[in-house]
Amino acid sequence: MTDATLQYAGQHYSKVVDAINEDLEKSGALFAAENIEHSYPHCWRCKSPIIYRATEQWFASVDAMKDTAVASCEDIKWIPEWGKDRMIAMIIERSDWCISRQRHWGLPIPVFYCGECDKPVCTPESIEAVASLFEQKGSNIWYEMSAAEILPQGFTCPHCGGGAEKFTTGQDSLDCWFDSGSTHAAVLRGQFENLQFPADIYLEGGDQYRGWFQSSMLTSIAVNGVAPYKRIITNGWTLDGEGKAMHKSLGNAIAPEEVIKDYGADILRLWVSSTDYRSDVRLTKDMLKQLSESYLKIRNTARFILGNLDGFDPDNPVALADMQELDRWAMSRLNRLIEFVSAAYERYEYHTIYHGIHNFCTVDMSNFYLDIIKDRLYCDETESVSRRAAQTAIYVILNALVRMLTPILAFTSEEIWAAMPHGTGDDIDSVLYNPMPQSVNEYKLSPGDEARWDKLLRLRTDVNKALELARADKIIGKPLDAEITLYVSDSAAFLRDIDGEDLKTLFIVSKVNITEGGGSGYEGTEFPGVTVSVAQSNDPKCPRCWAHDANVGQDHPELCPRCARAVG
């Protein structure tokens, strides 16, 4: 208790109650005494009870800047969009700002008190003296020097004319939100040559509409007449597996260094990018383990491509017109991904970038394109156009992928960049020194070709299902052991114009026959109108490419004609 409490001064607030009750009882003024249990405010961090005190405070009026602040909200890009309405509502509801705090840390409020009239003194002259001293010796000097030593020589009280030798320094600290809300003046106004005012982005949690976002807005409006930022991006909270916000005080937080130790920094970066940061997100170690498997899908796609670029010269690619139709399809899918990722980066939607790239690597590449072109890469002649065309396509794909991944998987991208070949114009020192990929109009397929490929992909799904059933029934071993017959109706008439050799490559089987009308076999669900019949091929098997071919032994005792040409 303070000196103002007379005989109770110096006693602890939790024990003085008994002394007060005892004195009231002795004086006969005590009517009744009863213990009441009730909830009591506690500090969320240290869990200690909070004492409320009535003390004098410093306030700043915001009425004069409200209208300007609200108008400024219209020119700001809000992500998510509800941020604008939230900010406007909070500004309108506010009339003043308590800028003082009673604590032993923080920036002091540079106010002096006159020893003659007890009035507070804060003038441009006194402020300039304090600012100059802080710049030279730091803010701690406020507590190390007397008021007379801080103020200019000859300074007097503007209220009563009293001399500075009787002044005392104020002991209130500045509200930390006023302090942090003024950072735009320190950071963006001439301190760093490459930074400009206003800032492109302010990024923080949803609680900062009452805190940093708003204090920055008000201080900048007061001084500059405009907001200090062009965009506000709001992130949610990280929750544990039970949906509780992570806090060190609760002991439920997963420290970044733990994740890095177990999984590596890129897994942590990938988790951040895979979440919709605008909402609260959960994090558990099981989720990180599952995400590490997704990471391997992306990494292994790059690894496969790197393993098949031996001898490829990026400055001597195969022209798009000389590529096979499948290669041009892959380039078109890459083009679509580039457009998707570029737009997502502009919107700061990193989770859609992660899902888009992961889907591309898993579905378009690993499960389809890369699976099919293995045959060309492994078995065609080294310098054949078909093999070099495949290398050209996968190089273009990897070159674009690594650049798009760099903001997310920084370390993995640098590893890939260091291992891959480079053409003239690339900065080989770091992928970070190279621009993001741009879409290429020539890569786009016509609407008719897009529709045709969509049908082929759906048909391939049915064929794969038929092959899976045939393997389960011991009809075939591997897909290359199979000879399939497609019984087509009018809805699949487009297949009549496709060469069987192209279809066997697409389905990774040894032979494809197309027959008009109905037949027995697997009835397609993805592409109705086609029945898939699977049989074991009776042709001899080439030991090099593993395909069954009636011409095995024609140009070589054991190999098919293509493999015979490849080995010379």
Side-chain angles (χ1 to χ4, degrees), residues 247-258:
H247 290 294
K248 290 181 180 179
S249 58
L250 295 179
N252 64 341
I254 298 178
E257 53 267 27
E258 291 181 34

Side-chain angles (χ1 to χ4, degrees), residues 215-248:
S215 64
S216 298
M217 166 79 82
L218 295 177
T219 55
S220 183
I221 291 294
V223 177
N224 305 307
V226 295
Y229 38 70
K230 299 176 184 177
R231 295 178 185 83
I232 288 289
I233 300 179
T234 308
N235 61 271
W237 303 108
T238 305
L239 313 177
D240 63 15
E242 297 178 359
K244 297 178 181 177
M246 287 189 178
H247 290 294
K248 290 181 180 179

Side-chain angles (χ1 to χ4, degrees), residues 3-303:
D3 292 338
T5 58
L6 303 178
Q7 70 267 31
Y8 307 112
Q11 298 187 47
H12 195 271
Y13 73 92
S14 64
K15 298 179 179 178
V16 76
V17 174
D18 293 335
I20 293 174
N21 284 345
E22 185 178 344
D23 289 347
L24 287 172
E25 188 174 8
K26 287 180 180 179
S27 67
L30 181 64
F31 178 75
E34 181 183 359
N35 289 326
I36 300 175
E37 291 188 5
H38 62 90
S39 59
Y40 196 81
H42 284 65
C43 173
W44 69 271
R45 187 181 292 275
C46 67
K47 312 305 180 187
S48 298
I50 296 173
I51 305 172
Y52 284 103
R53 297 187 301 154
T55 60
E56 291 183 338
Q57 304 288 346
W58 286 94
F59 289 87
S61 174
V62 298
D63 285 334
M65 62 188 81
K66 270 187 180 182
D67 293 342
T68 305
V70 170
S72 296
C73 291
E74 299 294 337
D75 299 325
I76 297 167
K77 175 68 175 178
W78 302 88
I79 303 173
E81 292 183 356
W82 52 256
K84 182 176 83 170
D85 293 335
R86 187 172 184 180
M87 177 67 91
I88 290 175
M90 288 188 172
I91 292 174
I92 291 175
E93 292 171 1
R94 192 169 195 171
S95 58
D96 51 39
W97 179 359
C98 180
I99 62 171
S100 57
R101 295 291 184 270
Q102 290 67 52
R103 61 187 177 213
H104 298 294
W105 59 270
L107 192 70
I109 295 179
V111 173
F112 301 89
Y113 291 88
C114 178
E116 297 288 344
C117 63
D118 290 332
K119 290 184 178 181
V121 176
C122 184
T123 67
E125 187 180 7
S126 68
I127 288 290
E128 183 58 38
V130 173
S132 177
L133 196 60
F134 279 16
E135 185 178 10
Q136 297 173 31
K137 301 184 178 181
S139 60
N140 282 344
I141 205 70
W142 182 262
Y143 306 103
E144 298 170 0
M145 296 176 65
S146 67
E149 292 174 314
I150 297 174
L151 289 166
Q153 188 174 5
F155 186 86
T156 59
C157 175
H159 305 293
C160 68
E165 67 275 1
K166 294 186 177 180
F167 279 29
T168 58
T169 54
Q171 298 303 302
D172 291 331
S173 297
L174 192 66
D175 174 25
C176 65
W177 294 124
F178 193 101
D179 207 357
S180 64
S182 304
T183 50
H184 55 81
V187 176
L188 302 176
R189 289 293 191 179
Q191 300 297 318
F192 304 95
E193 293 182 1
N194 59 332
L195 298 181
Q196 296 179 347
F197 180 92
D200 289 325
I201 296 170
Y202 269 40
L203 168 65
E204 250 292 0
D207 58 332
Q208 298 306 314
Y209 286 93
R210 192 176 297 279
W212 185 47
F213 292 160
Q214 186 176 160
S215 64
S216 298
M217 166 79 82
L218 295 177
T219 55
S220 183
I221 291 294
V223 177
N224 305 307
V226 295
Y229 38 70
K230 299 176 184 177
R231 295 178 185 83
I232 288 289
I233 300 179
T234 308
N235 61 271
W237 303 108
T238 305
L239 313 177
D240 63 15
E242 297 178 359
K244 297 178 181 177
M246 287 189 178
H247 290 294
K248 290 181 180 179
S249 58
L250 295 179
N252 64 341
I254 298 178
E257 53 267 27
E258 291 181 34
V259 180
I260 294 172
K261 178 183 176 182
D262 294 338
Y263 298 99
D266 270 1
I267 296 297
L268 181 60
R269 296 174 67 93
L270 189 62
W271 172 76
V272 172
S273 65
S274 70
T275 63
D276 186 352
Y277 62 84
R278 297 168 296 187
S279 306
D280 295 345
V281 293
R282 298 194 182 197
L283 174 61
T284 65
K285 291 188 176 179
D286 287 340
M287 293 169 62
L288 290 169
K289 183 178 180 181
Q290 183 178 359
L291 193 65
S292 66
E293 296 174 0
S294 298
Y295 164 79
L296 287 177
K297 290 286 187 182
I298 298 173
R299 183 182 179 90
N300 287 341
T301 298
R303 188 176 181 180

